[in-house]
Every structure is written in structure tokens, then in C-alpha cells.
Amino acid sequence: MRYRDLGRTGLRVSELGFGCASWWGKPRFEERTALGLVHEAIDLGVTLFDTGASYSAGEAEPRLGRALKGRDTSQLVIATKAGTYHAGGGRIARDMSPSAIVASAERSLVNLGLDALGLLQLHGPSAAELDALLPTLESLKARGVARAVGLNSFDPLVIEHAVGLPQVDVVMVDYNVLRPEREPLIARAAAGGKGVLAGMPLAMGHTRPLLARLKGPQDIWYAARALAKHRGELAKGRRFSFLHDLPEMTGAQAALAYVLSNPGVSAAVFGATRSGHLRENIAASGLALSADLISRIRAAQQ
Ligand SMILES: NC(=O)c1ccc[n+]([C@@H]2O[C@H](COP(=O)([O-])OP(=O)(O)OC[C@H]3O[C@@H](n4cnc5c(N)ncnc54)[C@H](OP(=O)(O)O)[C@@H]3O)[C@@H](O)[C@H]2O)c1
């Protein structure tokens, strides 16, 4: 596993991080398997784990805490999010008030069994909410609740705004082969000393046809989410099916190697619920794409 600086935070992270979200955090996904994936990731050199207070209807964060129990977390960077919470019945609500962010961060410490969060990210704030929360974020850092602070947003205007704020250490953006339009923004963020986390680096698996992926209950859950929310990605993903026919690496590895070939990216945070996927993804660290493959990806992005 290779490691990279997380911007100017002074933290170093594995260039592949494990996302503890979605199906991974759901009670329907067996606890032993979910915890086993985290342990396997740690054993294979992963030091970055990303979750959120509202992930998996609030179940992901305490589950990650159970996975970390009894483990040496001193070399790990545990990232979580605040500003959204599970409001019951599968509904996710937002509260970006300073008191809610402080309470959420303190609850995360308990859920995760940590003395300090590696990274606290606001979960989808507006630019105005981010501005209003800067003193809160600074105070959480000064109190030692979080070692670094930032935000996760899929709104490029909000990220652009955040890049100009000295109080923001890290931004998490949606970046993968389907999203080359994020590249100028990532370059500006990195030039400004921000750590950049690429969320959804596998494009949620949409470079492979949906039907080819339906093997277990999680696949049906992911497919339902894709049909409800990500039809655009499903359509775009078809242009990248050639990634799955390469002799030198798998399609997932090519997708991750593409994200990691961007020097502005500190880490790609993928989700996986199968040990084979986890191992395959971790083996993507250090893989280089040929010039020919990069040209084919660029052509498909047009
Ligand atoms: N998606 C979002 O809206 C979002 C938002 C903010 C932050 N994030 C962060 O980004 C992380 C990753 O996002 P994500 O899980 O939505 O997207 P992703 O990592 O791009 O894709 C995950 C999907 O790819 C599949 N996969 C993983 N490894 C594979 C392999 N080697 N071969 C084939 N398929 C593979 C997984 O299947 P299996 O489960 O079968 O392994 C899962 O269906 C999250 O955990 C979170 O930390 C995501």
C-alpha cells in the first residue's frame, strides 16, 4: 500500500481508503462479515476509513466503532461527517446549526470509541452554512475533538468556495472516470494545500452493466439506488465497459488507478462488501495506466 499526505494536515493516509457506508453498515449485512472487512483492510495497510453520522440510517458509525474495538487506532485516520442525521423511517434530515455539529462530533467520538476524530467533514453544507460554521470547526480542532476538518460536497461551487477558506483542511468530492470535469477543481484544491478525498472512485460500479452485477442482496439494493438516483451515471458508464476487458488489471483496478493517477488526490475512498473486491482494490495501489489506456479513457469521456 502506498501512502500520501492529506494536504497540509500533517496526516498521512493510505491512498486507498475504505468507505463504511451504505450496505456495509446495514444490519441486514452480517456483522461478522462487515467487521471482518475492516480488519482485513487494516491488515492490508489501509489507514483511512470514512463514515458518517447518518450513513446506513445511523448504523455505520457505531458498527465501525465495534470493528475498531481492541485495535491499535494510533496509525489510523478515521473520518466521519456531521450535519445530517437519520430522522427515522429511512429519512435523512439536515441540521447545520453549530450546536448540532458539536453534538454530532461528540456522539461520533463515543460511537467510534475514539479520543479524537481524524477528520470531521460537514456533510453537504451550502457555502453560507460552511462560512457560518468555520468558528465551530476551528473550536472542535482547538479542543482536540477533530485533528482535521473539512467537508463532503458534490456541488462544485461549494467545493470551489471551500478551497479558498484557510480553515478548511480537506474536501471530499465525487471523482471517478465518469467525472473528469472535477479535475480543474481538484488541481486548485491541491495547489491550495487541501487534502482531497475522492468519494465514489469506482463510479459505484456503473462501468459494468447493472444486470451483470446482480449476484447478491447488496447488488439488488445498489441497483435500486442506481435506478432511483443515478440513471445518468448508468448511461455514461456504458462507454467505459472496455475497462473490464484489460489483460493487465481488472476494471475496478483500472478505475481506481485512474483516480490515483491524479496527483491532487490524497486518497480514493471505495465501498466494498466482498473480501475479493476489497483485496482486488487494495492491489490497485501502485498500478500505472498505459498511455494507450489513458487515451481510451479520455476518448470515452468526450
Ligand atoms: N455514494 C455516495 O453518495 C457517497 C457520498 C459521499 C461519500 N461517499 C464515500 O465514498 C465511499 C464510496 O462510495 P460508494 O460505495 O457509493 O461508491 P464506489 O466505491 O464507487 O462503488 C461501490 C460499489 O462498487 C462495488 N465494488 C467495489 N469493489 C469492486 C470490485 N473490485 N469489482 C467490482 N465491483 C466492486 C461495490 O460492490 P460490493 O459491495 O459487492 O463490493 C459497490 O457496489 C462511501 O463509502 C463513502 O465513504 C459516497
Side-chain angles (χ1 to χ4, degrees):
M1 175 65 72
R2 296 190 180 185
Y3 298 84
R4 300 187 184 194
D5 290 332
L6 185 59
R8 293 194 191 128
T9 60
L11 300 170
R12 266 177 89 71
V13 291
S14 52
E15 64 180 13
L16 287 160
F18 185 66
C20 298
S22 307
W23 189 263
W24 176 88
K26 293 198 177 289
R28 276 175 288 170
F29 184 52
E30 199 195 25
E31 172 96 348
R32 197 164 52 94
T33 312
L35 269 49
L37 287 165
V38 170
H39 300 156
E40 202 175 357
I42 293 174
D43 292 345
L44 292 168
V46 173
T47 61
L48 172 66
F49 292 84
D50 180 63
T51 189
S54 65
Y55 278 9
S56 313
E59 303 279 356
E61 200 178 61
R63 176 171 269 183
L64 178 57
R66 292 192 291 279
L68 297 176
K69 204 167 178 200
R71 304 268 149 177
D72 175 9
T73 55
S74 60
Q75 301 305 311
L76 304 183
V77 175
I78 308 298
T80 192
K81 310 196 182 68
T84 54
Y85 62 96
H86 181 235
R91 203 173 62 84
I92 302 298
R94 299 171 87 255
D95 189 344
M96 293 279 171
S97 64
S99 59
I101 298 302
V102 171
S104 181
E106 288 174 349
R107 238 181 350 260
S108 295
L109 286 179
V110 176
N111 283 340
L112 293 162
L114 299 172
D115 296 328
L117 303 170
L119 168 65
L120 179 69
Q121 302 157 97
L122 298 178
H123 196 193
S126 68
E129 286 167 337
L130 173 60
D131 285 346
L133 283 166
L134 293 174
T136 307
L137 294 178
E138 283 197 292
S139 128
L140 286 168
K141 250 171 83 171
R143 285 175 48 211
V145 173
R147 291 156 78 190
V149 294
L151 70 155
N152 167 212
S153 175
F154 295 163
D155 182 340
L157 293 177
V158 174
I159 296 287
E160 188 78 63
H161 178 69
V163 166
L165 299 170
Q167 299 91 335
V168 170
D169 301 313
V170 177
V171 294
M172 178 185 259
V173 300
D174 48 340
Y175 178 50
N176 52 55
V177 284
L178 308 186
R179 294 231 185 277
E181 64 271 27
R182 294 285 178 267
E183 283 162 11
L185 188 53
I186 290 171
R188 283 196 290 281
K194 308 299 181 201
V196 177
L197 300 181
M200 296 195 280
L202 294 161
M204 295 180 285
H206 297 333
T207 53
R208 272 172 75 216
L210 209 51
L211 282 178
R213 291 184 258 145
L214 296 180
K215 291 190 179 126
Q218 63 266 62
D219 306 318
I220 294 164
W221 186 86
Y222 281 115
R225 180 176 76 169
L227 289 170
K229 296 188 187 167
H230 302 287
R231 280 175 191 258
E233 277 97 338
L234 275 173
K236 251 197 218 171
R238 282 192 213 117
R239 292 189 230 143
F240 296 85
S241 56
F242 62 89
L243 292 177
H244 299 277
D245 298 318
L246 303 171
E248 68 273 31
M249 60 183 88
T250 68
Q253 289 174 332
L256 292 171
Y258 173 80
V259 169
L260 294 177
S261 72
N262 186 326
V265 169
S266 315
V269 180
F270 65 83
T273 56
R274 293 175 163 104
S275 170
H277 285 169
L278 177 80
R279 289 180 169 273
E280 186 180 320
N281 297 347
I282 289 172
S285 176
L287 291 183
L289 302 180
S290 67
D292 174 56
L293 183 52
I294 291 175
S295 308
R296 291 177 73 190
I297 292 173
R298 289 287 176 223
Q301 288 169 337
Q302 298 310 309

